[in-house]
Amino acid sequence: MKILFIFTGGTIGSTTGDEFISLEKGKPYKIIKAYEEKFGIDFSYETLEPYTLLSENSMGSNMKVLAASVKENLDKGYDGIIVTHGTDTLQYSGALLSYVTGLSKVPVCIVSSDKPIENEEANGLYNMDAAVALIREALTDKSIKGTFVPYRNKDKITYINRGSRILSSYAYSADMYSLEDKYFGVYDGKKIIKNVSYTEKEDQMQPLTADGFNETSDMILRIEPYPGIVYPDVDERIKAVVLGTYHSGTLPMETKGLKDFLIKLKEKNIDVFITGASEGISYESTKDYNLLNVRKIEGIAPIAVYIKLWMLLSMETKNKDSLYEMISLAVGGEI
């Protein structure tokens, strides 16, 4: 078995010194050494280090480099690729790589650590062990395709998440959870146990690219609701607005501020997408969605909606009628 390690920094590539956690030169190779000491290595590997940064500083330029580094190595004879990454923006890179790889036959695993690996409580080496196990399992189980995020939560269970399904982390917690609890499976330290409720769609379009990414996603405005919110003016750069919702899939539709905001967007022919609103019976406050040309995106994690839109718009998707259709097409193991 041959694995490519792509090191990008993050806490898993950091060390604790004085009062701060910072990146350490040569740390990526110490990770492999620490893994070998704990679990042993019975595979060959090669390494790349396209950039090094703490993931909270992630921007379009390095995301484009990450996407290209993975994509160009999918057909170079590796049985799997492991990307080391920080936890802060892992959900964003998870979605990015899911859409870049699609359901590639070569599994890609993003591995992070909640603490520097020298810390006995860190989960980084457990996450890497699960990634190696998943790649090994994929040699015989051809259903293991595309991008995954193995991650050990505080409950000591290592979940195998789809890269495009991870939800935003809770405040003060590094735990990671999949949309609708539809994670791929768990790793018990010996084998991968598949989740019986897991489902995925086959790719309905070709994988996307991040080749056109600018430093910022200045074509997208993303807004989360809160009481007393003031909606911003929208300039000519904005091509799409992503509205998060409260947990019940609602927005303050009875407030003048939101209605006026949506009316202006409709007049400017700007696409509006709502995330977090599921199928089934809706609250009365959602009845005006269709009247105001607002589209509900179901079955996709909110962060993944944002990343998918960024990728589609950077690919110069100019047919306004097709943007909703394209974002609704499954790729990379979406529900």
Side-chain angles (χ1 to χ4, degrees):
M1 184 170 73
K2 186 177 182 181
I3 295 175
L4 173 66
F5 287 91
I6 300 179
F7 300 119
T8 70
T11 300
I12 195 168
S14 303
T15 192
T16 302
D18 298 326
E19 298 178 2
F20 302 98
I21 294 174
S22 58
L23 296 169
E24 178 186 354
K25 186 176 181 180
K27 186 64 177 286
Y29 307 96
K30 293 182 181 179
I31 296 169
I32 293 181
K33 181 65 175 177
Y35 176 81
E36 182 176 19
E37 291 175 354
K38 188 173 183 66
F39 296 106
I41 290 181
D42 59 354
F43 53 86
S44 62
Y45 64 89
E46 294 178 356
T47 64
L48 285 178
E49 196 171 354
Y51 61 86
T52 301
L53 85 169
L54 294 172
S55 75
E56 62 265 31
N57 299 315
S58 182
M59 295 289 281
S61 56
N62 60 273
M63 295 178 78
K64 179 163 61 176
V65 170
L66 175 60
S69 297
V70 170
K71 186 176 181 180
E72 68 190 18
N73 284 287
L74 285 175
D75 60 355
K76 290 190 176 180
Y78 299 107
D79 295 302
I81 296 174
I82 292 178
V83 177
T84 64
H85 197 285
T87 55
D88 282 342
T89 58
L90 186 147
Q91 297 95 328
Y92 295 86
S93 293
L96 177 83
L97 294 185
S98 287
Y99 297 141
V100 165
T101 63
L103 291 178
S104 164
K105 294 180 181 179
V106 177
V108 175
C109 292
I110 308 177
V111 170
S112 61
S113 184
D114 58 349
K115 299 177 180 66
I117 57 172
E118 293 87 352
N119 189 315
E120 293 182 357
E121 297 181 357
N123 62 10
L125 296 179
Y126 294 101
N127 298 337
M128 186 174 289
D129 190 39
V132 171
L134 188 69
I135 292 169
R136 182 178 289 110
E137 186 78 9
L139 296 174
T140 55
D141 185 347
K142 301 308 178 183
S143 71
I144 300 175
K145 299 180 290 185
T147 297
F148 299 89
V149 177
Y151 195 85
R152 191 186 204 210
N153 283 346
K154 291 295 185 184
D155 59 10
K156 306 301 183 184
I157 298 174
T158 304
Y159 296 86
I160 310 294
N161 303 283
R162 259 294 171 204
S164 59
R165 298 188 188 185
I166 306 176
L167 300 172
S168 298
S169 297
Y170 298 143
Y172 307 109
S173 173
D175 284 358
M176 296 193 184
Y177 299 95
S178 289
L179 180 69
E180 298 179 3
D181 282 333
K182 289 188 177 178
Y183 51 89
F184 181 79
V186 297
Y187 178 58
D188 67 359
K190 297 180 180 179
K191 61 183 182 299
I192 304 294
I193 304 170
K194 290 186 178 180
N195 179 5
V196 295
S197 67
Y198 178 84
T199 60
E200 69 180 24
K201 293 179 181 177
E202 290 296 321
D203 285 349
Q204 296 172 331
M205 64 176 170
Q206 292 296 313
L208 307 179
T209 77
D211 296 347
F213 267 26
N214 294 320
E215 189 73 350
T216 60
S217 59
D218 57 0
M219 293 181 288
I220 303 170
L221 177 63
R222 186 178 171 202
I223 302 174
E224 295 296 319
Y226 53 87
I229 185 172
V230 176
Y231 292 91
D233 292 328
V234 177
D235 63 33
E236 66 279 357
R237 295 174 300 171
I238 300 299
K239 306 301 180 187
V241 174
V242 180
L243 294 178
T245 61
Y246 293 116
H247 77 92
S248 52
T250 58
L251 284 168
M253 294 299 293
E254 294 184 9
T255 64
K256 189 174 185 297
L258 179 56
K259 283 192 175 181
D260 287 348
F261 180 63
L262 293 177
I263 288 170
K264 289 178 182 179
L265 295 177
K266 185 176 181 180
E267 291 172 348
K268 293 183 178 183
N269 200 29
I270 295 173
D271 288 302
V272 182
F273 300 99
I274 287 183
T275 66
S278 60
E279 296 178 357
I281 297 174
S282 298
Y283 285 82
E284 184 180 9
S285 59
T286 68
K287 68 180 185 297
D288 289 335
Y289 286 176
N290 291 336
L291 295 176
L292 293 168
N293 203 30
V294 175
R295 306 274 198 169
K296 285 199 304 182
I297 304 297
E298 300 170 350
I300 307 179
I303 285 175
V305 171
Y306 163 71
I307 290 295
K308 198 172 188 180
L309 273 174
W310 191 0
M311 299 179 84
L312 289 170
L313 289 169
S314 73
M315 293 167 65
E316 298 185 352
T317 302
K318 294 181 179 179
N319 184 342
K320 300 293 289 184
D321 292 332
S322 72
L323 187 57
Y324 173 70
E325 295 172 5
M326 292 186 71
I327 201 171
S328 299
L329 294 175
V331 63
E334 290 178 328
I335 295 174

